[in-house]
Amino acid sequence: MAKGYWIGHVDIEDVAQYQSYVEANTSPFAEFGARFLVRGGNQEPQEGKLRARTVVIEFKDIETARACYASPAYQRAKALRDPVAQADLIIIEGHDGAQP
């Protein structure tokens, strides 16, 4: 079964307030078994435009990734992020290793 991922690109306008979002998302991420593969770090954009911060979060499957995003606990955390950051986020299914 292919894993599920969140891939986010974020510009943070208020780092102190954004920290409230980080603290609030800890519980839903733990509940849904989220694992950070990328959490900020140095970026070297090669093509196109990106936001300042990139995040990649792995889940056991795409259904779990979707359920985490839709959960009331995550939506409460997101409400803390929305006023202080601009984000682009996709939920995507990973490659299961089979040939196309």
Side-chain angles (χ1 to χ4, degrees):
M1 178 182 301
K3 294 190 179 202
Y5 299 90
W6 288 13
I7 301 175
H9 301 282
V10 184
D11 287 330
I12 301 169
E13 298 163 6
D14 185 330
V15 175
Q17 287 296 101
Y18 188 83
Q19 191 59 36
S20 297
Y21 161 71
V22 170
E23 292 166 8
N25 71 31
T26 300
S27 177
F29 286 164
E31 177 183 347
F32 289 93
R35 184 170 77 103
F36 282 88
L37 301 180
V38 175
R39 194 171 196 176
N42 294 325
Q43 298 189 108
E44 296 182 21
Q46 303 298 306
E47 297 182 29
K49 295 180 182 180
L50 294 177
R51 295 188 182 274
R53 181 177 173 85
T54 296
V55 179
V56 179
I57 306 171
E58 180 183 75
F59 295 85
K60 72 177 183 176
D61 54 38
I62 196 164
E63 291 81 12
T64 303
R66 289 176 182 142
C68 182
Y69 185 82
S71 72
Y74 181 74
Q75 289 300 309
R76 285 190 296 274
K78 181 182 175 300
L80 297 171
R81 184 197 73 205
D82 288 345
V84 298
Q86 299 298 313
D88 300 313
L89 176 75
I90 63 166
I91 298 174
I92 190 167
E93 188 172 33
H95 184 6
D96 65 4
Q99 295 299 317

